[in-house]
Amino acid sequence: MSSGQESVFSEYETDTSQTSKLLRKFKETPFVPIGMAGFAMVVGYGLYRLKHRGDMKMSLHLIHMRVAAQGFVVGAITCGVLYSMLREYVVKPKE
C-alpha cells in the first residue's frame, strides 16, 4: 500500500468511540434496535408471567413466549425493510 493512498476504512478509523458507532448504526437501521427492545420486553413479560401460568405446562408457556418474541422481531425487521424500500425507491433523495 503506498503512503499517498487513502485508507479504505477511513470512515471507521476516525469514528473510534463505541457509543458513536452504535448511534450511527441505529440511525442507519432504526428498526433493528426496536426489534431488539421488543424481544427483550416480550421475554421479560414472559418470565414475569411464568409464576402465574396456572395449570399450563412450562414447555407450552416457553413455546408461546418464543413465538411471540420471534414474531415481534420478524415484524420489526419487515417494517425496517419496507421503510428502507420506501425511502430508497418511492421517495428518492435528490442527488
Side-chain angles (χ1 to χ4, degrees):
M1 189 180 208
S2 67
S3 62
Q5 193 176 29
E6 189 174 322
S7 175
V8 176
F9 302 107
S10 63
E11 177 184 338
Y12 296 105
E13 290 172 353
T14 58
D15 199 15
T16 56
S17 88
Q18 292 293 328
T19 307
S20 59
K21 286 181 183 179
L22 189 63
L23 289 174
R24 180 179 47 83
K25 197 60 142 171
F26 284 170
K27 287 178 184 176
E28 290 174 4
T29 55
F31 286 95
V32 172
I34 293 171
M36 290 171 29
F39 174 80
M41 289 189 322
V42 168
V43 169
Y45 180 73
L47 290 175
Y48 172 74
R49 294 291 300 166
L50 190 62
K51 291 170 99 175
H52 309 289
R53 69 181 188 269
D55 60 349
M56 183 187 297
K57 290 184 179 180
M58 181 181 270
S59 62
L60 187 60
H61 176 75
L62 292 176
I63 288 171
H64 288 167
M65 188 173 65
R66 178 186 63 91
V67 168
Q70 283 180 334
F72 193 91
V73 170
V74 168
I77 291 173
T78 303
C79 288
V81 167
L82 292 174
Y83 173 73
S84 65
M85 286 175 57
L86 175 76
R87 193 175 63 195
E88 188 174 330
Y89 294 114
V90 176
V91 183
K92 294 182 180 181
K94 294 182 181 179
E95 294 179 3

